[in-house]
Amino acid sequence: MLSLITILVSSYTWAQEAKKPSKDAPVFTQFSYQGDDRIYKENPLQPDEFYTPILQGCYPDPSITRKGNDYYLVNSSFAMFPGVPIFHSNDLVNWKQIGHVLDRPSQLKVQDSGISAGVYAPDIKYNKNNDTFYMITTQFSGGMGNIVVKTKDPAKGWSDPIKLQFDGIDPSLFFDDNGKAYVVHNDAPPKGKALYEGHRVIKIWEYDVQNDQVVPGTDKIIVNGGTDISQKPIWIEAPHIYKKNGRYYLMCAQGGTGDNHSEVIFVSDSVTGPYLPAKNNPILTQRYFPKNRPNKMDWTGHADLTEGPDGKYYAVFLGIRPNEKDRVNTGRETFLLPVDWSGEFPVFQNGLVPLKPKLKTPAGAKNQTGQNGFFPNGNFTFTDNFTAKTLDYRWIGMRGPREEFISTSKKGLQITPFAKSIKEVAPISALFQRQQHNAFTATVNLNYVPKSEEDLAGIACYQSEKFNYVLGITKKGKDSYLVLAKTEKGETSILGSEKIDAHKPVQLQVVAQGDNYRFNYATGNQDFKNIGGTVSGDILSTNVAGGFTGALIGLYATSANDIRP
């Protein structure tokens, strides 16, 4: 394992290689993001309640582990950089982001990854046998494959990746009481044995803790197809093993990560099987309910269990909150439910009825979300003047370190533009945060005078390199112009342009009300003016753009602009 000193030296080295800011580079100040979802206005919290999802916006595929009174939660991050956001809690209600697991180029090689490639389905586990935390995941990029990193303290950095010698996806570790360890994961059936589209298996391997490798030849299929292969179940994945009362429980997602998503469970007297499915599967799903139900939450699955501070069980899992046109702009989010495990199998409380937005706090917990450094939820406001010495963890780059193009000072955030546009599958000079509401307003001040038509800076709504909106300042002839462009399926069209005086600070704004997005601007002390009219948010939705991410809001600059007023 890398020592903390090695990690810090490595981080310092690549940070020092960042480009020096240019005096002509755009400066962003006074960023504000305000959520305005109806569901939270109609369901105000009582003193003993908190909201689920606990992490709003694109925080999918949650995994959770516990050491004493400390809980740690991680999420998929795909091509975002840094990768695998990690959160800490003592009560499952209040969460603080303590960083990212994969925060160095030596750990995260996504420089040529499409937005929905990169890092999938991380699993975090604490091994009490050697007092070590592990994060195992699949990195679909950079020749990485399945990898594991580890640490004694999740708040102090993680080792460089160890590449693991097996195929498949969604690996998860299990540490037994006797010191033995295992990896379970999704894989293809043996060659020539696939019976239908989506037929997958769950495999188990012995894991050598001393050398951090699976033991060759120990692989075994423990689930073929799913709960009942005669019904042709698809995409059995995201496996986790738990031990309770001397028996082994295997919990998996089944049905694919969309409308048919669900969570199922199996049991065995031996860690290597045979595993028998519970008769009451699925134990979590939203697929049985009317599509037009109010306050719809859907796509639930990909769950992980933990014992709460009150001695009861809880599960984190992914789900979505679509807008009024059933589009998924906020992406797959992290939800939480209490779980009754007083019988043989865990029962998700209200996991088989339409989800509600509020939960009762566990005994002894007080809701402090949005206060004292805890992550906010509900209709919160996030503001950033970019004058702090360290950047808020919510800000991420795409395919490369933020430090290579940003600098912060009393003046604000300066972005030194790359000669790459937002449409390229490459590191881009854009700083993103997640869209966390279906209704929101995002505003930022921009000081920027473009020097040529290749220069542009502004605000972006980004689903992927092929689906996005850009509202930015560029140059045409001797004049500065504000231009709104839409990129759909990789093709860009101009929706509006206005000649402006770029020597004055400009405010840029995005206002979304469900599927309706409006892009506005203001100069000086004037009121906001719209540009381009009301446009559809459809291209920012997962079910139009495809892939696995939610929409991002970006502060963007480029010296390779192809948007012409």
Side-chain angles (χ1 to χ4, degrees):
M1 182 189 300
L2 283 182
S3 69
L4 179 58
I5 292 175
T6 307
I7 291 170
L8 291 176
V9 169
S10 171
S11 299
Y12 176 84
T13 301
W14 64 257
Q16 294 309 298
E17 295 171 356
K19 293 177 171 57
K20 291 183 179 179
S22 162
K23 61 184 177 63
D24 297 324
V27 176
F28 296 87
T29 57
Q30 294 178 308
F31 176 83
S32 172
Y33 171 93
Q34 185 171 8
D36 192 34
D37 282 350
R38 179 176 52 83
I39 190 171
Y40 297 120
K41 291 187 279 189
E42 293 177 353
N43 292 274
L45 290 175
Q46 299 303 311
D48 62 343
E49 294 177 331
F50 67 109
Y51 286 125
T52 183
I54 54 173
L55 303 178
Q56 294 164 225
C58 181
Y59 294 100
D61 307 330
S63 176
I64 193 169
T65 197
R66 178 184 184 181
K67 177 187 177 182
N69 292 324
D70 295 301
Y71 295 87
Y72 297 93
L73 185 153
V74 293
N75 300 98
S76 292
S77 55
F78 307 101
M80 302 170 195
F81 200 116
V84 187
I86 180 166
F87 298 85
H88 171 265
S89 178
N90 294 121
D91 55 19
L92 302 178
V93 175
N94 305 294
W95 293 90
K96 283 184 181 177
Q97 187 170 0
I98 58 172
H100 292 81
V101 176
L102 305 177
D103 61 3
R104 308 186 300 281
S106 60
Q107 299 171 306
L108 187 57
K109 300 185 183 301
V110 291
Q111 61 271 15
D112 55 2
S113 297
I115 178 67
S116 284
V119 177
Y120 279 55
D123 167 73
I124 188 170
K125 285 289 190 303
Y126 172 65
N127 183 3
K128 65 181 180 182
N129 301 311
N130 62 2
D131 188 30
T132 301
F133 291 87
Y134 294 74
M135 193 283 295
I136 187 171
T137 190
T138 310
Q139 189 173 155
F140 281 100
S141 56
M144 300 294 278
N146 289 303
I147 59 169
V148 66
V149 296
K150 53 187 186 176
T151 186
K152 293 289 186 180
D153 185 346
K156 292 184 177 178
W158 296 70
S159 71
D160 272 349
I162 301 162
K163 293 174 68 172
L164 301 173
Q165 303 304 312
F166 62 89
D167 296 325
I169 62 170
D170 293 10
S172 174
L173 284 161
F174 172 70
F175 300 104
D176 211 341
D177 304 327
N178 60 8
K180 287 191 173 183
Y182 303 85
V183 170
V184 284
H185 65 93
N186 160 303
D187 208 347
K191 196 169 183 180
K193 297 290 182 70
L195 301 179
Y196 50 88
E197 187 71 23
H199 178 192
R200 303 290 286 181
V201 303
I202 300 297
K203 270 188 182 178
I204 191 168
W205 301 72
E206 293 180 22
Y207 186 77
D208 180 347
V209 176
Q210 298 301 317
N211 296 303
D212 285 304
Q213 285 296 338
V214 293
V215 178
T218 61
D219 56 310
K220 178 184 178 183
I221 293 174
I222 53 175
V223 174
N224 183 15
T227 48
D228 181 357
I229 198 167
S230 71
Q231 300 299 309
K232 298 183 178 180
I234 62 170
W235 289 102
I236 189 79
E237 59 189 358
H240 295 285
I241 290 179
Y242 312 93
K243 191 174 186 180
K244 188 170 185 288
N245 299 331
R247 303 188 82 196
Y248 298 88
Y249 293 84
L250 173 69
M251 193 170 75
C252 305
Q254 184 173 287
T257 195
D259 292 344
N260 206 41
H261 207 198
S262 70
E263 196 72 15
V264 297
I265 196 157
F266 307 77
V267 67
S268 177
D269 293 323
S270 166
V271 67
T272 57
Y275 280 88
L276 300 175
K279 293 180 180 178
N280 62 326
N281 280 320
I283 55 176
L284 169 71
T285 191
Q286 294 287 289
R287 67 188 178 209
Y288 302 126
F289 312 122
K291 288 194 176 295
N292 60 350
R293 61 189 182 274
N295 294 333
K296 181 178 177 180
M297 299 176 227
D298 211 351
W299 296 12
T300 54
H302 204 114
D304 199 4
L305 293 168
T306 190
E307 190 174 347
D310 55 2
K312 299 176 181 178
Y313 282 85
Y314 292 83
V316 290
F317 56 96
L318 73 79
I320 61 160
R321 295 174 300 135
N323 67 22
E324 77 285 357
K325 292 194 175 178
D326 214 33
R327 291 175 179 144
V328 187
N329 293 38
T330 51
R332 298 173 302 151
E333 306 174 298
T334 292
F335 288 73
L336 184 136
L337 276 180
V339 173
D340 180 354
W341 205 347
S342 56
E344 181 181 9
F345 292 104
V347 176
F348 284 67
Q349 294 182 21
N350 296 323
L352 296 174
V353 299
L355 285 177
K356 302 291 193 295
K358 299 194 298 183
L359 297 172
K360 295 290 185 183
T361 53
K366 179 185 176 184
N367 186 351
Q368 301 178 68
T369 54
Q371 308 166 47
N372 305 318
F374 291 112
F375 212 66
N377 63 10
N379 278 334
F380 58 84
T381 297
F382 168 54
T383 59
D384 199 337
N385 289 327
F386 305 109
T387 54
K389 288 186 177 180
T390 56
L391 199 62
D392 191 287
Y393 287 129
R394 281 171 276 193
W395 291 110
I396 46 102
M398 190 58 60
R399 306 184 191 90
R402 301 160 298 185
E403 291 79 1
E404 291 190 353
F405 61 87
I406 68 162
S407 63
T408 56
S409 67
K410 292 179 181 178
K411 293 181 180 179
L413 170 78
Q414 192 170 46
I415 294 183
T416 300
F418 292 163
K420 299 288 182 184
S421 86
I422 203 166
K423 296 185 287 186
E424 296 188 55
V425 181
I428 56 177
S429 42
L431 195 63
F432 292 103
Q433 73 138 49
R434 293 156 174 87
Q435 178 180 330
Q436 297 176 287
H437 300 81
N438 283 312
F440 72 89
T441 299
T443 308
V444 71
N445 284 15
L446 174 60
N447 284 282
Y448 179 55
V449 180
K451 298 299 181 186
S452 76
E453 294 181 351
E454 281 71 43
D455 296 325
L456 179 141
I459 195 167
C461 289
Y462 181 89
Q463 228 291 334
S464 73
E465 55 276 2
K466 293 183 178 180
F467 293 86
N468 53 75
Y469 286 104
V470 171
L471 175 64
I473 300 172
T474 187
K475 195 168 186 181
K476 179 181 179 182
K478 295 182 179 180
D479 298 315
S480 295
Y481 275 79
L482 186 68
V483 61
L484 175 65
K486 172 185 180 180
T487 297
E488 181 174 9
K489 298 180 181 178
E491 298 295 322
T492 301
S493 56
I494 307 299
L495 303 183
S497 64
E498 297 278 351
K499 184 174 158 182
I500 63 167
D501 182 358
H503 292 280
K504 296 179 180 178
V506 177
Q507 279 187 291
L508 303 179
Q509 184 182 73
V510 185
V511 180
Q513 287 292 334
D515 192 60
N516 295 325
Y517 284 63
R518 289 177 66 83
F519 293 85
N520 307 318
Y521 73 99
T523 55
N525 295 318
Q526 295 180 339
D527 293 336
F528 278 102
K529 300 177 183 177
N530 175 255
I531 183 169
T534 299
V535 300
S536 174
D538 58 352
I539 65 164
L540 303 175
S541 67
T542 305
N543 43 6
V544 171
F548 302 107
T549 61
L552 305 174
I553 300 160
L555 310 179
Y556 166 56
T558 181
S559 59
N561 175 47
D562 65 350
I563 300 170
R564 299 285 187 258

